[in-house]
Amino acid sequence: MIKIINRNLLNKIYREIKKHNTIVILRHIGADPDAICSELALRDSIKLTFPNKKVYAGGVGVAKFKKYGNLDKPDYEKIENCLLIVLDVPNIARIDGIDNLKYQSILKIDHHPKLDIKADVEWVDEEKSSTCQMVTELILNTKLKLDKKIAENLFLGIVSDSERFSLKNTTIETFETVINLLKTSQIDFPNLYEKLYLRPFSEYKFIAYITNNLIINENHFGYIKISDNILKEYGVDVATPSNLINSYNFIDDLLVWCFITEDVKNNQYKISIRSRGPIINEVASKYNGGGHKFASGAKVKELSDVDNLINDLSKVCKDYENKES
Ligand code: AMP
């Protein structure tokens, strides 16, 4: 069934944006294309609609995402009483760039299960494919303006978070939103895919390494521990495995799979988990993590915790298979 757009809520969000002269937009740490593209698109749309407002898209920049646009480095000393818009993040601890920011109120737009962010105005919908889908709906259904660059970023965020409309978070509404976006903006979308998927050959060799070394157990749980040496050998960074993990979504030997990457800089293991059935975010939240039902992440310091997480995820697969049979 197609959901009716909640125009009252969208207008309330528009009025909240209109009310504030200074706006800082932030998203989760460890940015991905949906997080980056949603903050850039919303910043650019607000600036286009209200040229006199000061609007900043903050958080740490990621070199490989520079192609989507430049982030701002707002001087927090000079900002007071701003509206903080948080996108694509449910908890304070994972808001990139919130430290030392003095804000008057929070507006939140997100598709993760709710956690501790208490917003003055919020739109949370776990059924949306992406935050970019939500920002698209907001722009197309209010007086916020759209241009080609904004539309391109929104399209890319939706395509990325839905893995080209192939994940379970894709709905009729996702397609409806994208059709409206394409009709309104007339962007040359087939040529945009390169921005998301063009990779150096060394990264394909890294994919081959993961494929050859993924351990799949009797419960159809797959995992791999990726050392810092391997990252160096293939010339990839610590975020690369999470950018590749969705590509393993159509392997029928796998129910749940998990990439555990050594993060030397932060002295921890960065973990990405995906599922084709069992719910995994409850396990992730036990290990300093969280996320969606079928796409989660975690961070642990000790190898013993990595092993505990592997056992827990394997058990989740076993229980799921027992229930299904
Ligand atoms: P990733 O595997 O990094 O792409 O993350 C998948 C999902 O899990 C995203 O929605 C992330 O926001 C979420 N996530 C990843 N790492 C963490 C973490 N340490 N804590 C909470 N949520 C996380």
Side-chain angles (χ1 to χ4, degrees), residues 28 32 88 91 94 112 242 245 270-274 288-292 295-299:
H28 63 76
D32 54 22
D88 201 32
N91 53 332
R94 278 179 50 84
H112 290 87
S242 14
I245 193 166
K270 179 177 168 11
I271 296 159
S272 276
I273 316 160
R274 298 294 185 271
N288 195 21
H292 307 280
S296 302
K299 275 176 186 161

Side-chain angles (χ1 to χ4, degrees), residues 35-45 57 68-71 153:
I36 289 273
C37 289
S38 59
E39 72 167 331
L40 292 173
L42 187 57
R43 175 198 64 190
D44 294 345
S45 172
Y68 304 125
N70 289 325
L71 293 171
N153 275 336

